[in-house]
Amino acid sequence: MPISELAICLRRSDYSETSLVVRMMTREHGQASLMAKGVKRPKSRFGGSIDLLSVGQAVYSLPRENSVSTMGLLMSWDQTEAYPCLRTDLLRHAVALTAAELLARLTEELDPHPASFDAMIRLLRELQGGEPPVRRLAEFGRALLTDIGLTPDFQTCAHCGQPTGPGEFPAARGLLFAGPRSGVLCPRCQPGPGESTVAISRNLQQFFIENTQITGRLALEFVRWLVYYVQHQIGRELNSAATLERAIAAALIAHARSAQPTDSHDNDK
Amino acid sequence: MSGYTQTMERLIAELGRLPGIGARSAERIAFHLLKAKTDDAMRLADAIRDLKTRTRHCSRCYNLTEADPCPICSDPARDARTICVVEQPKDLMNIESTGTFRGVYHVLMGHLAPLEGVEPADLTIDPLLRRVESEGVREVILGTNPTIEGDGTALLIASLLAGREGVQVTRLARGLPSGSQLEYANKSMLADAISGRQKMG
């Protein structure tokens, strides 16, 4: 039975001269690997090729339960939204790719996460709408972690179990976040020998505990922490991490060159 | 066991590794070669051998060539101060076939694909930057594919060239193909066409 729903293209790879295999994130069925037959033909019924990060109405069928194939069939694709900013702004481009990789790595095939899907669509629309990209990526990251149940405990020390809230220690004393333990270490506890940690500010802790709006410099700290945390969760590097850092560096250089800081990126610095 | 000789099986297996050729096609081609005149089959074998021994990449632009530098780079009639950057040699061939571009090229040998792990170091971006620096280039035309990854590659190159005195960075126009109809254009094409609209009259 064909399914028709909104989908985001998270990955595409050549299958043959004319066909693609696409990894779609769908709202109601999660990720699905689909064969798009003949999509690269000039007069294909898909109306042009399916690009990465494009959003549209997909009509597809999933493999039968007893089928040996794990790939479904994309029957039609009608792109419903376009985000030209991803093609003209390096930072927005990198932010969208990072979000797509986070979504792809942290959710499973045919495991629906409508809230995460909606957060991704919201992020793409906000990027197109001129919102500060790093801040929007941070909001997306928090929504994604919350939806899939991966939000770490920021209130209790991962080593001694004592509370680590702002009332427990002077706010000036920062905390260490230990990736292998998926939690914070209080100022009394030290990481184990060679244990990977990253320093986090009290503001970042507050961002999680009080669900506050993220602002300015904190967004950048959050995004770097998010990449660190997710890499520990999935046990491998995020491919998009280097691209994101390069884009942030380029935006900072462009900002420094610019005499009039009117760019929307400024809000992220 | 297929029942074919070892030589035949080896040829079918090798042909089957080519893009767009499945097991049945590989078998059909192998039988065709078996039936063909020896000279015809050997010409094909020689062509493959020559391709692999004589064809290489131009040390300046990375186009495919048998002479280094390639005929385009060594043509004095071409404007060496205008470089068109493309992803693959076949993109270069396509632009060249229009006969309208008289500058030179730079082939990136791919595009950035961060989600697949293809990074700037995997492309010929550094040699491009060195060319721009050393050859007095005035214009770099970014002719990467209009995909998210092609555009990302163009954006990165543009950011690396930003601030270089006297170097203009441009990008190929995009939007509706000539002879097409609005009715059949997808959202991306229309968005490109609207944002890239041009003044008339």
Side-chain angles (χ1 to χ4, degrees):
Chain A
M1 189 72 180
I3 303 160
S4 175
E5 62 176 321
L6 203 60
I8 307 166
C9 179
L10 294 183
R11 194 172 181 180
R12 41 169 268 167
S13 48
D14 285 339
Y15 179 78
S16 68
E17 291 289 305
T18 56
S19 302
L20 287 176
V21 173
V22 289
R23 173 63 68 100
M24 290 287 182
M25 181 71 187
T26 68
R27 193 173 190 282
E28 305 300 333
H29 293 82
Q31 292 188 49
S33 286
L34 305 171
M35 170 75 77
K37 284 186 180 170
V39 67
K40 292 194 277 182
R41 286 201 183 100
K43 290 185 179 174
S44 88
R45 62 204 151 97
F46 294 96
S49 196
I50 302 168
D51 205 357
L52 205 60
L53 296 172
S54 56
V55 173
Q57 193 70 22
V59 179
Y60 65 97
S61 62
L62 294 170
R64 292 199 183 105
E65 273 184 22
N66 54 0
S67 167
V68 284
S69 170
T70 56
M71 200 181 302
L73 181 68
L74 184 65
M75 294 157 177
S76 81
W77 170 257
D78 179 22
Q79 190 183 344
T80 54
E81 297 186 28
Y83 311 105
C85 72
L86 306 183
R87 301 166 182 278
T88 54
D89 184 312
L90 187 61
L91 187 54
R92 285 169 204 280
H93 173 91
V95 159
L97 285 179
T98 305
E101 188 174 11
L102 289 169
L103 195 58
R105 298 246 183 249
L106 294 179
T107 62
E108 301 282 329
E109 190 142 340
L110 301 181
D111 178 19
H113 286 278
S116 297
F117 179 89
D118 292 344
M120 184 72 194
I121 295 281
R122 194 163 55 245
L123 171 74
L124 292 170
R125 288 176 183 163
E126 286 170 343
L127 291 176
Q128 183 57 35
E131 302 263 338
V134 177
R135 221 186 286 183
R136 293 287 83 88
L137 178 59
E139 298 281 9
F140 166 80
R142 181 168 64 177
L144 178 63
L145 293 183
T146 305
D147 182 41
I148 59 177
L150 269 183
T151 307
D153 180 5
F154 278 91
Q155 305 199 55
T156 315
C157 176
H159 183 69
C160 68
Q162 293 298 308
T164 61
E168 309 297 325
F169 298 98
R173 296 186 72 175
L175 297 169
L176 287 178
F177 185 91
R181 300 179 203 226
S182 302
V184 288
L185 297 175
C186 71
R188 284 197 215 95
C189 293
Q190 295 297 315
E195 186 177 4
S196 165
T197 59
V198 63
I200 60 165
S201 70
R202 288 292 189 171
N203 289 339
L204 186 71
Q205 188 185 30
Q206 290 295 98
F207 175 59
F208 269 103
I209 295 173
E210 295 178 5
N211 207 21
T212 51
Q213 288 276 314
I214 199 154
T215 51
R217 197 174 291 274
L218 181 61
L220 194 52
E221 182 190 354
F222 176 88
V223 164
R224 285 180 171 147
W225 167 83
L226 179 67
V227 168
Y228 167 83
Y229 173 57
V230 170
Q231 288 182 159
H232 274 280
Q233 287 293 314
I234 63 175
R236 55 164 295 173
E237 299 243 318
L238 280 176
N239 286 335
S240 56
T243 301
L244 181 64
E245 278 301 327
R246 255 194 317 272
I248 289 170
L252 287 170
I253 292 168
H255 173 62
R257 278 199 193 117
S258 162
Q260 291 179 314
T262 53
D263 193 304
S264 60
H265 302 163
D266 301 334
N267 298 329
D268 285 329
K269 308 297 166 331
Chain B
M1 282 290 288
S2 64
Y4 293 133
T5 63
Q6 269 191 352
T7 322
M8 191 74 168
E9 274 190 8
R10 191 175 136 217
L11 179 62
I12 291 170
E14 291 302 323
L15 290 168
R17 289 169 57 190
L18 297 175
I21 297 188
R24 295 293 296 273
S25 298
E27 210 173 46
R28 216 161 33 235
I29 295 168
F31 271 106
H32 172 83
L33 291 171
L34 193 65
K35 277 194 262 175
K37 288 179 185 167
T38 306
D39 284 357
D40 290 346
M42 286 304 148
R43 259 202 313 278
L44 175 66
D46 289 343
I48 294 171
R49 187 181 298 109
D50 288 351
L51 176 80
K52 293 308 292 178
T53 53
R54 290 190 196 168
T55 308
R56 55 195 150 154
H57 293 286
C58 171
S59 58
R60 280 171 78 183
C61 72
Y62 292 87
N63 184 19
L64 294 174
T65 182
E66 289 187 13
D68 193 17
C70 71
I72 294 175
C73 286
S74 50
D75 182 351
R78 301 197 72 122
D79 175 10
R81 292 182 162 199
T82 304
I83 296 183
C84 180
V85 179
V86 294
E87 292 182 13
Q88 300 289 347
K90 59 186 176 186
D91 299 332
L92 182 157
M93 302 298 172
N94 277 335
I95 295 177
E96 200 57 14
S97 69
T98 65
T100 54
F101 179 64
R102 296 304 300 159
V104 293
Y105 294 91
H106 188 88
V107 184
L108 292 171
M109 306 304 296
H111 55 234
L112 293 178
L115 303 188
E116 314 298 327
V118 181
E119 290 288 315
D122 300 316
L123 308 180
T124 62
I125 292 177
D126 282 343
L128 169 67
L129 299 179
R130 285 197 292 274
R131 279 184 79 187
V132 171
E133 200 68 54
S134 64
E135 295 178 16
V137 172
R138 287 180 307 201
E139 183 178 1
V140 176
I141 303 168
L142 297 171
T144 51
N145 284 322
T147 59
I148 281 285
E149 288 157 332
D151 286 330
T153 310
L155 287 171
L156 178 75
I157 294 171
S159 77
L160 294 171
L161 291 171
R164 296 204 185 205
E165 285 291 315
V167 181
Q168 187 185 17
V169 181
T170 58
R171 183 150 74 160
L172 291 183
R174 60 183 61 187
L176 295 165
S178 299
S180 68
Q181 289 177 305
L182 281 178
E183 185 184 353
Y184 299 110
N186 66 27
K187 299 269 186 311
S188 291
M189 272 185 209
L190 286 170
D192 281 342
I194 288 169
S195 63
R197 66 190 183 277
Q198 291 180 351
K199 197 175 173 184
M200 286 184 79

